[in-house]
Amino acid sequence: MEFQMSMTQQAVTTALPAIEFFSSVVEISPGARAKAWSMPALSDAVRRGRGALAGLIRGEGLYPVFQPIVSLRDGSIYAHEALIRGPQDTALHTPDALLTAAAQEGLNFEFENHCVIAACQRWGKLVEAGRLFVNISAEVLVQILEQYGRAALLELINGFGVLPRKLVFEITEYQRVADMDHLARMVRELRSAGVAIALDDFGDGRSSLRLWSQVRPEFVKIDKYFTKNLSQHADKLKTIQALQQIGALFETALVAEGIETEDDLRLLRDLGIDCGQGYFLGRPALLPREQIEAGALAVMRDRRVAVFPELRRASQSGVLSRIALLDAPTVTPSTSNDELVALFLNHKKLHAVAVVDGHRPVGIINRSNFMNEYSKLYYREVWGKKPCLVHANLASRLIERNHNVDELIGILTSDDQRYLTDGFIVTENGRYVGLGTGEQLVRSVTETRIEAARHANPLTFLPGNIPISQHIERLLAGGAEFVACYADLNNFKPFNDQYGYWRGDEMIRLLARLALAHCDPKRDFVGHVGGDDFIILYQSADWQQQCQNIVSEFAARAVDLFDEAARAAGGIHAEDRHGVSRFFPLTTLSIGAVRIRSDEYASAEQVASVAARAKHEAKTARSGFLVLESAEVSSC
Ligand code: C2E
Ligand code: MG
Ligand code: MG
């Protein structure tokens, strides 16, 4: 009967102040299997404690506040987290100060228990039907379960009128746990009674992926470091996406903590994060909330889609391991010139050979250089038996197999062209594994660059075709209404031919700058398809005005890129596509726009093609800016 409170006991205990429950919880004699939780006495440590925290616990000076945890699907309040507070305007108001005092006064266990009980009791008194998240360190949770058992804990919670299935223990400080298996067992036991588990502050530098995998918590709360200014940090975004993948694997819902701005909320919503928490949604308060803050609600109801920050992918490229290695024979430092010539004659395609001492490469011998020497008069007679090492380039390039191809560009641009002709030696952990050729390297670097350019244009650093398509897909999936614009220069080719690529690039960069300047980076997306083709995806209401501004500002600024005479003449004489010289007016910009309703388009490709059509119309109409209306679109 020790674990089970009678109905009368329950009724009594529910009416008792938190401190009485607390005191019973902390009356622990080590090794005791179970204790009744309704004993009214305070623990010795608290009763005798001289510290300020002990005083607060005795005097019921601690109380919980509640912060909403919000479903990012619809903005409804999913749960509240209880956060403990000490008396207002005192040094012990914040949980951090209270936790420090608890450690100093040796009351960690007592304090944390008190918090759980205070939270549950208050929640019960408020007759709240919603879910309650309660913080507890892994250490104390284990202690409670070990010393009192699951049944007693559940009984206590029930006694406050809180259903176990509405309760979530947010485990903090789990990184300190030495015996993870034990914690995982304890937690599983608790969960079998309906209580859910969250890992708090995941990713704060001490989190454990192993614990996530072992405990399989219902929730993982992503540390606020990753949500802060998320909309400006592509690396944080990628990290959260990676956590989402793990979450999907382990069937864990994610809660993003510390949402403070509209932009971060919009982005997390669009990423499909399950829940969010933060000042922007609702600050901790004495009473639970019915609804989130108005500004947050407006974001949740707004269909406009966030623009994801882009990684500078140009630097992310393939590794050397993709290059097929030549499984070339090697020679040792003592191999003779005669032996080497035999080797080259046996391997007709071998452009070079590595000199390897044991597993360690020491140099490379170029075939044609060596053969030239060897074929000289009397060479074989005089030098044939001598070691071939004299012919080796001892400053040859040794490259580890997992090297980034981009970093090898130095080889291609190096003054010492032996690297191109001799190729390079590939190693794995310093051991010879094969030879690579300069030609392979050139091909690989080029392929990598082309692939990178599909992500980010190397000239403007604007997103390329892949992110453009991804963004359109997101707009369509989010049901957003937006405007797809396609911008293209008129008479750019003659300008480029006349003034050269450098000035041509300047003109393209000018267009990129103007497009960016006339966009709201949080709502609108500028992509560089290639050459002088740009896509702008507007969600801003003033898109027409912005497009017109881009066109007119471009016309005003582009003239500066022409020389005096061309400016005076209003254009240049150049050859047309048929080689006939004719007059071309100064370069101008055309933008074709089309309003997109997501339900009318099935793919990014369709959107891109109507936008291209709009551009075509704009150019033929010799109009700077043209909007293709729906009727015209459907006839396309
Ligand atoms: P936590 O569990 O991660 O709680 C979230 C903390 O972030 C709270 O601080 C909350 O007020 C704060 N917060 C919420 N939204 C935002 C935001 O948008 N921006 C920023 N910068 N902060 C935000 P608080 O209440 O000071 O609590 C600090 C920590 O103390 C908690 O972190 C938790 O680890 C611990 N703690 C709080 N209450 C309890 C408790 O009852 N028991 C135990 N064991 N620990 C508690
Ligand atoms: Mg927490
Ligand atoms: Mg937290």
Side-chain angles (χ1 to χ4, degrees), residues 94-111:
T94 65
D96 285 343
L98 290 167
L99 283 160
T100 310
Q104 281 165 357
E105 295 177 36
L107 293 176
N108 283 341
F109 183 81
E110 289 80 355
F111 169 70

Side-chain angles (χ1 to χ4, degrees), residues 165-184:
R165 65 186 164 79
K166 297 277 179 182
L167 189 67
V168 182
F169 273 119
E170 264 188 37
I171 308 186
T172 61
E173 305 291 331
Y174 42 90
Q175 57 285 342
R176 283 212 219 120
V177 176
D179 189 348
M180 245 185 233
D181 295 334
H182 185 51
L183 172 66

